[in-house]
């Protein structure tokens, strides 16, 4: 089973948790896109859902495949969100934002009764931090914000490069008009403390630590998919 097959397997298991009539948050990324394709097949067969996409990229795919969409303002309370992750630990703490949609992903997840994460087993880690932590920042005062992030990280014993994400010849810009700093800390032993410190920095719009948000994680490997519940 190759990587794409594992993503499809995880997406298929996640789809069994979706009931007709649900208000559904729809995530961003390669695994979430496999979920959208499977969902679209059911919708074509008469399955009823109203979806809220977490990015313009996801919205375009949903429109292309015929998945009905609403805005979060139209559906401010959702039943379930299905989304991928860049890292998942045993307590179902996540790092997200590799695709650049972490702000909208977190807003949609917070508006949902439940969040289910879908991923292949390469994303399962003992301690978060091998994947660089995306930190969404306001373009105004970017250098100052970066220096402050370095200081709060050092206070927690964290170090590593803080790289402004690039796209083509310029800085990457999120759907909300912000930039992303990818923080290569290597290992984050206290994700809660780092989350609190980053939230205190005015120039930080949001960060990719999703804590106490996922109810289930569906992890696919060569032998099939398994479902993990939060160990917290």
């Amino acid at each position: 089973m190759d990587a794409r097959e594992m993503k499809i397997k995880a997406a298929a298991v996640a789809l069994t948790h979706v009931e007709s009539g649900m208000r559904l948050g729809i995530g961003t990324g390669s695994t979430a896109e496999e979920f959208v394709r499977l969902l679209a097949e059911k919708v074509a067969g008469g399955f009823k859902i109203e979806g809220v996409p977490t990015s313009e990229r996801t919205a375009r795919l949903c429109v292309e495949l015929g998945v009905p969409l609403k805005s979060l303002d139209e559906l401010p309370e959702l039943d379930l969100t299905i989304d991928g992750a860049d890292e998942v630990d045993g307590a179902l703490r996540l790092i997200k934002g590799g695709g650049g949609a972490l702000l909208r992903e977190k807003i949609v997840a917070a508006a949902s009764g439940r969040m289910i994460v879908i991923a292949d087993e390469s994303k399962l880690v003992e301690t978060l931090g091998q994947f660089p932590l995306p930190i969404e920042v306001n373009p105004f005062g970017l250098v100052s914000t970066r220096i402050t992030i370095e200081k709060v990280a050092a206070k927690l014993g964290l170090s590593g490069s803080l790289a402004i994400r690039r796209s083509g010849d310029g800085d990457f810009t999120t759907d909300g008009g912000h930039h992303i700093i990818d923080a290569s800390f290597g290992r984050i032993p206290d994700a809660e403390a780092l989350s609190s410190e980053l939230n205190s920095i005015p120039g930080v719009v949001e960060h990719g630590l999703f804590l106490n948000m996922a109810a289930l994680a569906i992890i696919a490997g060569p032998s099939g998919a398994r479902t993990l519940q939060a160990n917290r």
Side-chain angles (χ1 to χ4, degrees):
M1 189 182 296
D2 64 19
R4 186 182 177 206
E5 289 172 327
M6 287 190 281
K7 292 173 182 179
I8 292 171
K9 181 62 177 177
V13 175
L15 189 56
T16 66
H17 292 268
V18 181
E19 300 174 4
S20 189
M22 272 189 167
R23 300 159 297 174
L24 184 66
I26 304 174
T28 296
S30 59
T31 309
E33 287 176 3
E34 300 298 349
F35 172 78
V36 171
R37 292 186 178 96
L38 295 178
L39 177 64
E41 292 177 6
K42 291 199 71 171
V43 168
F47 194 74
K48 303 294 185 184
I49 64 102
E50 292 181 302
V52 173
T54 57
S55 67
E56 299 302 324
R57 173 176 165 177
T58 294
R60 286 192 295 270
L61 181 62
C62 287
V63 170
E64 176 186 333
L65 297 179
V67 175
L69 297 180
K70 299 281 189 179
S71 70
L72 191 58
D73 287 332
E74 292 172 304
L75 294 178
E77 295 182 323
L78 305 175
D79 300 301
L80 175 65
T81 285
I82 307 281
D83 204 349
D86 298 301
E87 283 190 344
V88 185
D89 75 3
L92 302 197
R93 290 175 289 227
L94 316 172
I95 285 182
K96 289 178 54 55
L102 62 102
L103 174 60
R104 293 190 185 186
E105 287 173 335
K106 191 173 279 191
I107 292 171
V108 169
S112 303
R114 285 198 310 156
M115 179 186 187
I116 296 177
V117 175
I118 50 177
D120 65 79
E121 64 180 12
S122 69
K123 307 298 175 62
L124 192 60
V125 298
E126 183 175 337
T127 305
L128 296 178
Q130 181 176 340
F131 189 91
L133 175 66
I135 304 171
E136 190 161 342
V137 295
N138 196 296
F140 178 81
L142 181 57
V143 173
S144 178
T145 298
R146 183 176 173 177
I147 291 170
T148 306
I149 292 170
E150 289 177 340
K151 289 179 178 178
V152 301
K155 185 167 67 172
L156 297 173
L158 301 173
S159 62
S161 67
L162 300 181
I164 298 171
R165 189 177 297 183
R166 301 280 291 175
S167 178
D169 295 329
D171 293 339
F172 175 85
T173 302
T174 69
D175 287 343
H178 307 126
H179 296 324
I180 288 181
I181 293 174
D182 290 308
S184 298
F185 294 132
R187 188 172 181 275
I188 303 172
D190 192 341
E192 287 76 13
L194 179 58
S195 173
S196 179
E197 290 286 354
L198 291 175
N199 286 337
S200 72
I201 300 173
V204 170
V205 178
E206 192 49 85
H207 56 75
L209 291 169
F210 283 53
L211 310 178
N212 300 315
M213 300 190 83
L216 298 174
I218 299 168
I219 307 296
S223 59
R226 55 194 171 117
T227 299
L228 306 180
Q229 290 189 319
N231 178 24
R232 53 178 182 252

